[in-house]
Amino acid sequence: MKKSKYFTIISFLSLTLALSGVASAAGELKDANAFYYNGGFKDISVTENMKYYIPSYTWDQFGDYIDDSFSDFSSISGVNFGFEEVSWLEDADLFIVDTDEDGTYDGLPGIMIPCNWSGSTCNKVSYNSRWELAAVFLLPDNMEREDFSSINRHKTVLHEIGHAYALEHQPKGVNSVMVPGKLTITSPTSLDISNLKWKY
Ligand SMILES: [Zn+2]
């Protein structure tokens, strides 16, 4: 079956999405507090030309949202973000794939798992570490079950790519695409943009 080669990554899942960081008075996480502590790509400059590998069956389902998200991040002025498609997962900084809920995703609509290569296996590493690949798994089963609209799906894609920039979750009620859950934000907000500008 076509998805089997990704199981090496999936098998290293551990769903420990601990919320950390210090909230500001308004509840918003700003600057350093908006990011995984010491987390991000080993080579931060890959964000200038983030190489992505996305299987065609994932493009078929999520390509519009991915395209729109790439365009949103690329068009933020004051940072230099870009994207480039590559033909091999091994060459990618960002991997986006949709997969079946197998009981390990805890009902989430999507998740970003950072990993580092060891031979042909990308091993999950801590969010508070430096990684080689940001692997985004989208879970249509869970989106379906939670009755996600196209806007909710779009938000999920944008949110998971936000994690690839090492942005962590914002508290509920904050105006940010990094708030988890079934929301309708489909572009980075001013808070998200100012945080990205702080780091990049
Ligand atoms: Zn998240």
Side-chain angles (χ1 to χ4, degrees):
M1 77 187 262
K2 62 185 176 181
K3 294 185 187 177
S4 60
K5 68 177 174 174
Y6 307 123
F7 284 5
T8 48
I9 296 174
I10 297 166
S11 66
F12 285 90
L13 265 181
S14 79
L15 296 169
T16 50
L17 282 179
L19 282 169
S20 58
V22 180
S24 69
E28 298 177 339
L29 297 173
K30 289 181 177 165
D31 299 343
N33 293 326
F35 294 89
Y36 299 122
Y37 181 69
N38 279 341
F41 287 105
K42 273 188 181 172
D43 176 0
I44 197 172
S45 71
V46 302
T47 54
E48 294 173 14
N49 186 38
M50 203 186 287
K51 296 188 173 65
Y52 62 88
Y53 177 75
I54 300 169
S56 58
Y57 59 86
T58 299
W59 270 114
D60 291 345
Q61 237 188 118
F62 293 97
D64 288 351
Y65 313 139
I66 294 169
D67 261 340
D68 192 86
S69 300
F70 284 175
S71 146
D72 281 347
F73 284 114
S74 302
S75 63
I76 297 173
S77 62
V79 291
N80 183 16
F81 290 155
F83 298 88
E84 181 194 343
E85 184 171 21
V86 292
S87 306
W88 304 99
L89 177 56
E90 291 76 6
D91 297 332
D93 309 305
L94 174 68
F95 173 45
I96 304 179
V97 65
D98 69 279
T99 190
D100 300 333
E101 172 63 89
D102 62 1
T104 60
Y105 295 98
D106 206 25
L108 293 168
I111 185 170
M112 190 284 281
I113 308 285
C115 63
N116 285 330
W117 290 103
S118 171
S120 59
T121 301
C122 204
N123 296 314
K124 183 189 184 298
V125 295
S126 162
Y127 290 94
N128 301 319
S129 73
R130 307 300 290 272
W131 58 71
E132 293 166 348
L133 178 70
V136 169
F137 298 93
L138 300 171
L139 287 304
D141 295 345
N142 294 338
M143 295 178 184
E144 202 65 44
R145 201 196 53 249
E146 297 297 324
D147 204 18
F148 268 42
S149 67
S150 61
I151 289 171
N152 302 142
R153 287 162 201 256
H154 188 160
K155 180 268 177 182
T156 300
V157 168
L158 188 75
H159 174 100
E160 300 308 331
I161 297 171
H163 282 313
Y165 288 105
L167 285 167
E168 68 168 334
H169 285 155
Q170 292 279 349
K172 234 179 188 156
V174 168
N175 185 26
S176 164
V177 76
M178 297 316 297
V179 175
K182 186 178 166 184
L183 301 176
T184 56
I185 297 170
T186 55
S187 315
T189 66
S190 57
L191 174 65
D192 300 323
I193 290 170
S194 88
N195 285 332
L196 288 166
K197 282 180 174 171
W198 176 85
K199 186 177 176 79
Y200 295 94

